[in-house]
Amino acid sequence: MTAVFLGWFAVVLAAGWRLRPAPGRIRALTPAATLPAGPRRRPAGVSAVAVLERMGGAVLRRLGRPAGPEAGRRLGVALAAGAVALLMLPAAAVPAALVAWALPGLGARRRRRRHLAAIAADLPDVVDLLVLAVGAGLTVRLAVAAVARRSPGPLGAELARAGQETDLGRRLADALDDLPDRAGEATRPLIGALIASERYGAPLGASLERLAHEVRADRRRRAEEAARKVPVKLLFPLVSCTLPAFGLLTVAPLIASAVRSLRL
């Protein structure tokens, strides 16, 4: 155990020496542009997360894998967690590294599912607003801009982003074509109808009315499905909280009286 601790201390000391910032007198005399750049110099304001990201990125590059910022950060945190667990409990080093690697991915997937669920819940209202806007005589671009201003949900924010890209010179159809990749497959029928009307002049009113009926029916089905899941979700608190109290109030007195009668 002492050898492992001394080895880890030597690794930390070597890494700190390589990433040390330049002395203050050198920074004062040398312009910032002439200071050597690269992984051997660490600016004074770099955080520990950035160091872990750099370390993970270096390992990924050595392995020939794509070294993005997120992957480098995850691998750096996993290596750090494994090293700390190696000092405390060597048998838990590999599980700790695996848990540290998996947790950010699980959190990202959970946030992605919540975002997609919020967009799916916001879709019927957005479609209804588009039906009103197109029925009032607005073009596709003006209808998208009007709905984006009046829809506070996440789908309205995605439409507003597409409108901002259009203001910067991009075609609206091209900006909308990237929206299902961010907002999920539930928005693809709506985006397909908007793109077809924008590019080819296809009639939009009938398509939006049919789509509004479909998304409202889909929302009703999802609400019914969620209602059917309520008894299953209530099973755990019912079993863990209600039944023990019911048993203490009903069965425990009977058992106590039976034991008392047997003693007599």
Side-chain angles (χ1 to χ4, degrees):
M1 191 66 182
T2 305
V4 174
F5 177 76
L6 292 177
W8 172 249
F9 180 75
V11 170
V12 173
L13 185 62
W17 178 261
R18 291 185 62 186
L19 298 175
R20 72 190 188 280
R25 61 181 184 275
I26 296 179
R27 291 198 302 268
L29 296 176
T30 308
T34 61
L35 288 177
R40 294 181 176 273
R41 293 289 178 180
R42 177 189 173 191
V46 174
S47 62
V49 176
V51 175
L52 293 176
E53 178 181 336
R54 185 183 302 173
M55 180 176 63
V59 174
L60 289 175
R61 284 190 294 271
R62 289 290 183 87
L63 296 176
R65 301 296 181 86
E70 184 65 25
R73 188 182 306 112
R74 289 179 61 187
L75 182 58
V77 172
L79 293 176
V84 172
L86 183 64
L87 293 178
M88 300 180 179
L89 185 62
V94 175
L98 293 177
V99 169
W101 169 263
L103 281 180
L106 293 177
R109 284 193 292 270
R110 187 182 300 110
R111 290 190 296 271
R112 174 68 175 171
R113 286 196 300 268
R114 291 178 179 175
H115 180 66
L116 294 181
I119 287 178
D122 193 31
L123 183 60
D125 298 332
V126 171
V127 175
D128 289 338
L129 289 176
L130 283 172
V131 170
L132 293 176
V134 173
L138 297 181
T139 62
V140 176
R141 181 172 180 176
L142 294 178
V144 169
V147 172
R149 288 194 302 268
R150 290 166 176 81
S151 179
L155 185 54
E158 294 293 342
L159 293 177
R161 178 176 175 179
Q164 292 173 0
E165 294 178 0
T166 305
D167 294 338
L168 295 176
R170 194 179 184 188
R171 291 185 59 185
L172 178 61
D174 297 335
L176 291 175
D177 200 14
D178 297 336
L179 196 146
D181 296 334
R182 303 189 304 265
E185 293 297 322
T187 62
R188 192 169 294 278
L190 172 62
I191 300 305
L194 295 176
I195 291 176
S197 179
E198 173 69 17
R199 286 178 176 171
Y200 311 116
L204 188 58
S207 300
L208 287 180
E209 290 178 359
R210 183 174 62 254
L211 183 60
H213 177 72
E214 293 176 357
V215 294
R216 282 196 296 268
D218 182 67
R219 180 167 63 179
R220 188 180 303 111
R221 285 193 298 268
R222 286 188 284 105
E224 293 174 354
E225 181 182 356
R228 286 193 297 269
K229 290 181 179 179
V230 170
V232 179
K233 293 181 179 179
L234 290 177
L235 184 62
F236 176 75
L238 178 65
V239 173
S240 60
C241 301
T242 307
L243 288 184
F246 179 77
L248 289 176
L249 291 175
T250 57
V251 180
L254 296 177
I255 295 177
S257 61
V259 171
R260 190 180 303 110
S261 62
L262 289 175
R263 287 180 179 178
L264 294 177

